[in-house]
């Protein structure tokens, strides 16, 4: 995803002189292709996320579209107050990009895991929060946020995420992307775990169930209409995200509760009871309850119970 | 644009009196920090800043970021005196429904950026300054800092950054009144030798008496102090300057003058040379 991101941004920047890229000294071997073509619109501020974020705000006041770039939590939490006060309060045209969402930097340890970013960013005013599901959604998301003159947060995988979309879907900020539709269960996914969710859906279909999949590249504002439509079309809903409670699942639950849409519902989130472990992204997904098997087990519970399986 | 007809000394008196009345009416804090930077603001808004009250968002204007956003009252007063909005707006300071919040608000005409949490302003100013440089725009960016906010690590990130990119269109001004929230700077977290710290970070430094109008004017006229370097003016000031019972008194970081104290304060400001 990060290669797709930088290639898309570089392509857009060739036609749009407003686009700037600011990094906190991360992105080695990735950002060079932008920096070499547009040195006058590239800045490495050093290992200083607060300055990166405050400066991005200042630059954007002069009519620029400013991307900040760093790893997992660094552009989000280290500088959270700059994001809140300097960017969101002023409703500035700054795009915060975090690579390695979820367990992307798995073996690096919990300091480098992005497990709370969607919740934190979704709490802020004026902020649009995106977590594309594959490289195709990533390309479309980058194009869309450049055209959206307000703060955006873009959570990306670290790299190597499989392509899920066989053709380019219609992409609009705040709109879900339906991939499959089914009467028994709809799986709702955000971020790079989409390919595993698709595998789960196919396995359930092979077992005779009618299963839908909604990819939610925008977490905030949530596409409530799509959630409620899925709740009307299928007997149960299951959300899956590589994130702690407070992200997609919580927001879907809120939408269902507010609408009074009583439906069997469960949310799979990352279990954080083993924060101290090293491991690959796959290992840590499995270990935190986000394996293909865990998704299938939770789906079967929901399908069997016909009631809220929590 | 500056206004040659404005008298800096009279302007300073006028904004001091506005701030005293505003803080009294609203019963709010921070009069001491307003008065310590009154003379600096008066010089900036009468002699230095290239601004147009009829076009607050004029793209070519000089920017001023009040990083010590709690000094809002006297900056609003300066903007009203320069005609950015009617002076009667000042009566709404900190009142229900007013835009004139207790820390500066960018929705008020003439305010370039909202601040309040300390340690944000210099980064934002750096961003504006590097954008100006790369756009080949001539405007300058001023950031007015408190001494207390030099405790914030985030202030030192742009202090390291600005010289790296030779931002000589950036000017930091430190209102060094030497009193912070719980006591003197020396007692809480000593900053001295402050000029040496900025020099070591590759800034061009000048120390002045922040109440001496001749020294203030000279420093602001000489910017940038060295081509290719950002400039910092360390202005030695007195918290509560101009009101005898407030000068150097920590309590006036918090208290608002009562009616009798206000009358005395206004009389003292009027009587000053």
């Amino acid at each position: 995803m990060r290669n797709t991101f930088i290639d898309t941004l570089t392509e857009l920047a060739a036609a749009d002189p407003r686009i700037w890229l600011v990094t906190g000294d991360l992105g080695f071997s990735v950002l060079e292709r932008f920096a070499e073509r547009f040195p006058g619109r590239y800045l490495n501020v050093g290992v200083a996320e607060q300055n990166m974020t405050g400066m991005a705000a200042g630059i954007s006041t002069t009519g620029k579209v400013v991307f900040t770039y760093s790893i997992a939590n660094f552009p989000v939490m280290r500088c959270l107050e700059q994001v809140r006060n300097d960017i969101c309060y002023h409703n500035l045209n700054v795009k915060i990009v975090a690579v390695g969402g979820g367990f992307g930097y798995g073996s690096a340890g919990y300091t480098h895991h992005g497990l709370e970013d969607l919740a934190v960013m979704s709490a802020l005013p004026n902020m649009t929060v995106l977590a594309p599901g594959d490289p195709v959604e990533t390309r479309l998301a980058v194009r869309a946020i450049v055209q959206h003159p307000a703060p955006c947060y873009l959570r990306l995988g670290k790299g190597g995420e499989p392509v899920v979309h066989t053709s380019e879907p219609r992409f609009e900020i705040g709109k879900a992307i339906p991939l499959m539709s089914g009467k028994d269960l709809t799986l709702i996914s955000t971020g790079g775990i989409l390919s595993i969710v698709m595998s789960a859906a196919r396995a359930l279909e092979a077992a005779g169930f009618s299963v839908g999949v909604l990819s939610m590249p925008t977490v905030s504002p949530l596409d409530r209409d799509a959630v409620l439509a899925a709740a009307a079309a299928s007997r149960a809903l299951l959300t899956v995200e590589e994130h702690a409670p407070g992200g997609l699942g919580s927001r879907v639950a809120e939408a269902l509760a507010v609408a009074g849409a009583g439906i069997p519902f469960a949310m799979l989130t990352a279990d954080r009871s083993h924060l101290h472990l090293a491991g690959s992204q796959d290992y840590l997904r499995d270990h935190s309850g986000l394996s293909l098997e865990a998704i299938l087990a939770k789906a079967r519970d929901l399908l069997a119970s016909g009631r809220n399986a929590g | 644009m500056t206004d040659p007809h404005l008298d800096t000394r009279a302007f300073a008196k006028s904004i001091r009196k506005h701030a005293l009345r505003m803080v009294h009416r609203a019963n709010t804090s921070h009069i001491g920090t307003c008065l310590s930077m009154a003379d600096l603001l008066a010089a900036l808004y009468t002699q230095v800043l290239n601004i147009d009250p009829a076009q607050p968002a004029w793209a070519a204007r000089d920017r001023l970021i009040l990083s010590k956003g709690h000094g809002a009252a006297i900056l609003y007063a300066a903007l009203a005196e320069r005609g950015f909005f009617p002076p009667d707006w000042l009566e709404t300071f900190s009142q229900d429904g007013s835009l004139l919040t207790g820390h500066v608000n960018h929705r008020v005409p003439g305010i370039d950026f909202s601040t309040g949490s300390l340690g944000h302003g210099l980064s934002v100013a750096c961003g504006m300054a590097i954008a100006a440089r790369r756009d080949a725009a001539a405007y300058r960016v001023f950031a007015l800092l408190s001494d207390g906010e030099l405790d914030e690590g985030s202030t030192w990130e742009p202090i390291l950054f600005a010289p790296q990119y030779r931002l000589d269109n950036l000017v930091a001004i430190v209102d060094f009144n030497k009193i912070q929230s719980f006591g003197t700077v020396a007692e809480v977290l000593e900053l001295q030798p402050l000029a040496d710290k900025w020099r070591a970070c590759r800034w061009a430094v000048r120390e002045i008496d922040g109440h001496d109008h001749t020294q203030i004017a000279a420093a602001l006229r000489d910017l940038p102090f060295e081509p290719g370097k950002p400039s910092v003016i360390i202005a030695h000031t007195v918290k509560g300057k101009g009101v005898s019972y407030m000068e150097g008194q920590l309590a006036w970081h918090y208290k608002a003058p009562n009616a009798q104290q206000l009358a005395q304060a206004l009389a003292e400001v009027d009587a000053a040379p």
Side-chain angles (χ1 to χ4, degrees):
Chain A
M1 282 190 196
R2 62 180 179 179
N3 284 321
T4 305
F5 160 73
I6 196 66
D7 289 342
T8 307
L9 190 71
T10 305
E11 179 190 306
L12 293 170
D16 188 343
R18 301 174 306 152
I19 294 174
W20 281 47
L21 175 61
V22 185
T23 177
D25 205 30
L26 287 169
F28 184 74
S29 82
V30 177
L31 302 188
E32 289 83 350
R33 59 199 92 163
F34 183 101
E36 283 160 12
R37 280 191 68 185
F38 309 109
R41 292 188 266 147
Y42 172 79
L43 269 179
N44 180 357
V45 303
V47 189
E49 293 80 10
Q50 295 178 86
N51 194 38
M52 171 177 77
T53 306
M55 280 190 58
I59 295 165
S60 73
T61 64
T62 68
K64 318 284 192 276
V65 184
V66 187
F67 282 74
T68 64
Y69 181 97
S70 191
I71 285 178
N73 303 297
F74 306 165
V76 173
M77 296 202 200
R78 178 55 170 268
C79 46
L80 179 56
E81 198 183 60
Q82 280 80 7
V83 176
R84 176 187 185 270
N85 293 2
D86 301 346
I87 296 174
C88 292
Y89 180 28
H90 293 81
N91 198 19
L92 291 173
N93 205 351
V94 177
K95 318 300 173 187
I96 299 161
V97 180
V99 287
F103 296 112
Y105 287 92
S107 60
Y110 177 67
T111 58
H112 285 54
H113 297 166
L115 293 175
E116 301 88 11
D117 54 329
L118 299 176
V120 170
M121 290 288 100
S122 294
L124 297 175
N126 296 322
M127 179 63 88
T128 296
V129 177
L130 297 105
D134 82 337
V136 176
E137 289 186 14
T138 300
R139 184 166 62 244
L140 297 170
V142 175
R143 286 185 197 155
I145 62 179
V146 166
Q147 296 306 321
H148 184 70
C152 295
Y153 171 62
L154 181 65
R155 176 211 245 212
L156 301 177
K158 179 167 169 277
E161 293 76 16
V163 171
V164 173
H165 293 278
T166 50
S167 62
E168 205 167 88
R170 179 181 155 79
F171 188 98
E172 200 179 326
I173 288 174
K175 295 291 179 200
I177 301 174
L179 280 150
M180 294 168 57
S181 60
K183 293 186 182 124
D184 294 323
L185 171 71
T186 298
L187 299 168
I188 306 179
S189 170
T190 195
I193 204 156
L194 177 63
S195 64
I196 299 177
V197 170
M198 287 297 289
S199 299
R202 289 195 195 96
L204 291 164
E205 289 255 339
F209 296 106
S210 168
V211 177
V213 175
L214 270 186
S215 177
M216 285 265 191
T218 312
V219 174
S220 181
L222 186 77
D223 188 349
R224 290 188 178 84
D225 293 344
V227 169
L228 297 179
S234 57
R235 290 193 290 119
L237 296 182
L238 173 60
T239 62
V240 186
E241 64 199 298
E242 198 170 335
H243 186 273
L248 174 72
S250 301
R251 297 177 71 81
V252 168
E254 179 184 300
L256 293 171
V258 168
I263 181 172
F265 169 76
M267 46 192 270
L268 279 173
T269 55
D271 172 13
R272 290 175 295 173
S273 46
H274 303 286
L275 301 180
H276 51 282
L277 290 182
S280 67
Q281 186 167 25
D282 287 343
Y283 174 87
L284 291 172
R285 280 174 172 172
D286 291 356
H287 210 76
S288 64
L290 294 171
S291 62
L292 173 62
E293 294 70 29
I295 297 171
L296 290 172
K298 183 63 81 176
R300 291 202 179 96
D301 281 356
L302 265 178
L303 289 162
S305 75
R307 298 197 316 276
N308 191 327
Chain B
M1 44 216 86
T2 56
D3 185 340
H5 302 295
L6 285 170
D7 177 292
T8 302
R9 215 168 281 278
F11 192 96
K13 281 191 182 198
S14 178
I15 61 176
R16 276 194 166 94
K17 290 194 293 182
H18 278 307
L20 284 159
R21 286 191 290 257
M22 290 161 75
V23 167
H24 162 73
R25 192 182 299 110
N27 193 27
T28 55
S29 302
H30 305 137
I31 187 60
T33 197
C34 286
L35 297 176
S36 68
M37 65 173 173
D39 299 298
L40 296 164
L41 278 185
L44 286 163
Y45 277 91
T46 58
Q47 305 167 13
V48 178
L49 294 177
N50 187 26
I51 49 178
D52 181 358
Q55 307 177 73
W58 178 36
R61 74 192 184 282
D62 287 338
R63 274 72 169 166
L64 181 135
I65 296 178
L66 184 66
S67 194
K68 41 172 290 189
H70 55 298
I74 200 156
L75 179 54
Y76 295 144
L79 293 170
E81 280 289 310
R82 279 302 312 267
F84 280 89
F85 53 84
D88 61 7
W89 286 22
L90 299 177
E91 294 169 21
T92 71
F93 175 64
S94 287
Q95 307 292 329
D96 291 349
S98 174
L99 286 178
L100 274 60
T101 46
H103 295 82
V104 289
N105 179 353
H106 63 285
R107 289 294 183 91
V108 176
I111 297 291
D112 283 313
F113 211 80
S114 292
T115 58
S117 179
L118 295 173
H120 286 236
L122 192 56
S123 288
V124 176
C126 255
M128 293 173 172
I130 200 159
R133 175 58 43 80
R134 290 185 171 183
D135 287 343
Y139 63 82
R140 297 180 295 178
V141 186
F142 295 80
L144 190 39
L145 314 180
S146 70
D147 44 23
E149 76 176 311
L150 297 180
D151 296 356
E152 295 277 7
S154 60
T155 301
W156 294 90
E157 292 183 3
I159 290 176
L160 288 172
F161 177 90
Q164 184 77 20
Y165 286 80
R166 304 170 59 83
L167 297 180
D168 61 8
N169 57 346
L170 176 67
V171 184
I173 303 173
V174 180
D175 177 11
F176 196 8
N177 64 32
K178 302 176 189 67
I179 293 181
Q180 57 189 103
S181 191
F182 253 73
T184 65
V185 168
E187 288 164 347
V188 177
L189 202 53
E190 179 61 285
L191 292 170
Q192 296 284 24
L194 184 57
D196 288 347
K197 289 185 172 71
W198 287 84
R199 250 181 235 114
C201 293
R202 305 188 289 165
W203 286 60
V205 183
R206 186 176 300 188
E207 292 191 78
I208 61 168
D209 175 339
H211 302 301
D212 181 322
H213 285 245
T214 306
Q215 286 187 38
I216 296 171
L220 291 170
R221 191 179 53 233
D222 289 350
L223 293 168
F225 301 140
E226 287 181 48
K229 282 189 176 186
S231 302
V232 58
I233 298 170
I234 297 175
H236 293 276
T237 58
V238 175
K239 199 145 183 166
K241 175 71 176 180
V243 177
S244 59
Y245 62 87
M246 293 183 183
E247 288 189 2
Q249 298 299 312
L250 175 66
W252 294 98
H253 190 72
Y254 302 101
K255 286 169 61 174
N258 62 28
Q260 182 194 343
Q261 289 166 327
L262 175 67
Q264 181 188 337
L266 295 173
E268 288 187 17
V269 171
D270 270 330

